[in-house]
Amino acid sequence: MKHWRVCELSKNSKGASTAQIIDESEISKQIKFKLHETRTPFAPGTFGGEEKVRLNLDLNLNEYDCDLLTGIDEWVIKAIAQRSIDFFKVTKTEEEIRNMYKRTVTQHNSNGKDFAPTVKTKINMSGPFALRCWTEDKTKREYPEDWKLCRITPELFLKGLYFMPTMCGLILEVHDALVSEELTECPF
């Protein structure tokens, strides 16, 4: 993170405010990193279930990946606070940024039972940045029928930050993933 930088704020065609995060030590300037093999608790989808090209893909996290993403969150909070006037048109303290920042890692609890922490990523199903799935022998493959039955090793692309009046957070995309489907065995 030593060479990372949050770029200037820009607005897209829909009026959403975003800022790229780049790695100035990389020729491509892109920030990519792999997570350990994991699973998804849900099939990729959208809020409300409508069909879209851009879907959410939640991934379970191990302790190492939780720590990695929590460290990135901390770096981002400090970086935003240092330049808050550039992003919000007013000066905000680190504590104010911390309170409005949507954490990358979500810890789920239902009826007193803890579930694995997750990270919400975005996947594109078509277009130039469509998700590419790979086999263990590095051959391109189709999307799995049931994502919940797969082992997934994703490469995350830190696309940047989104900004809204009361919240901000990271945009993480998966462009490539090693996907292994579990074979279901006959119970007889």
Side-chain angles (χ1 to χ4, degrees):
M1 292 178 248
K2 180 179 173 184
H3 299 285
W4 290 11
R5 180 173 61 86
V6 179
C7 297
E8 300 304 313
L9 197 64
S10 63
K11 289 194 184 270
N12 68 16
S13 60
K14 297 178 184 175
S17 297
T18 60
Q20 283 186 308
I21 300 177
I22 62 170
D23 184 341
E24 294 184 324
S25 70
E26 292 292 323
I27 292 172
S28 70
K29 306 284 188 215
Q30 294 182 344
I31 300 170
K32 293 183 177 187
F33 52 94
K34 289 179 180 63
L35 296 183
H36 289 87
E37 183 180 277
T38 187
R39 296 182 177 277
T40 180
F42 316 108
T46 59
F47 183 73
E50 66 238 25
E51 295 249 350
K52 292 214 175 174
V53 171
R54 190 166 168 79
L55 303 175
N56 296 322
L57 176 63
D58 289 19
L59 298 166
N60 292 332
L61 297 171
N62 65 22
E63 187 176 344
Y64 176 85
D65 292 335
C66 273
D67 290 346
L68 171 69
L69 291 168
T70 300
I72 291 171
D73 280 343
E74 287 302 314
W75 181 89
V76 169
I77 289 167
K78 288 176 180 8
I80 294 171
Q82 289 173 356
R83 295 182 41 217
S84 64
I85 199 154
D86 295 338
F87 304 118
F88 300 104
K89 306 287 188 253
V90 295
T91 302
K92 292 189 180 281
T93 66
E94 187 175 313
E95 191 59 33
E96 289 173 305
I97 300 298
R98 193 172 295 285
N99 290 333
M100 67 187 303
Y101 183 78
K102 175 122 174 64
R103 300 264 172 200
T104 321
V105 176
T106 302
Q107 181 65 53
H108 302 278
N109 181 298
S110 179
N111 298 325
K113 182 180 177 189
D114 288 332
F115 293 93
T118 61
V119 59
K120 184 179 297 263
T121 66
K122 295 287 188 181
I123 57 173
N124 296 305
M125 303 306 286
S126 63
F129 300 108
L131 171 66
R132 294 179 300 198
C133 292
W134 304 93
T135 64
E136 290 183 19
D137 63 355
K138 299 179 174 55
T139 304
K140 195 170 179 186
R141 60 158 291 166
E142 297 295 320
Y143 299 143
E145 277 188 45
D146 188 346
W147 285 85
K148 295 178 288 182
L149 297 177
C150 296
R151 294 185 322 270
I152 306 164
T153 305
E155 181 179 63
L156 298 188
F157 168 50
L158 200 164
K159 186 172 182 179
L161 292 161
Y162 67 87
F163 292 91
M164 298 186 335
T166 59
M167 108 177 5
C168 59
L170 283 177
I171 304 165
L172 295 170
E173 291 185 352
V174 180
H175 293 175
D176 290 283
L178 187 69
V179 179
S180 303
E181 290 178 86
E182 284 187 354
L183 299 175
T184 53
E185 294 181 24
C186 177
F188 301 101

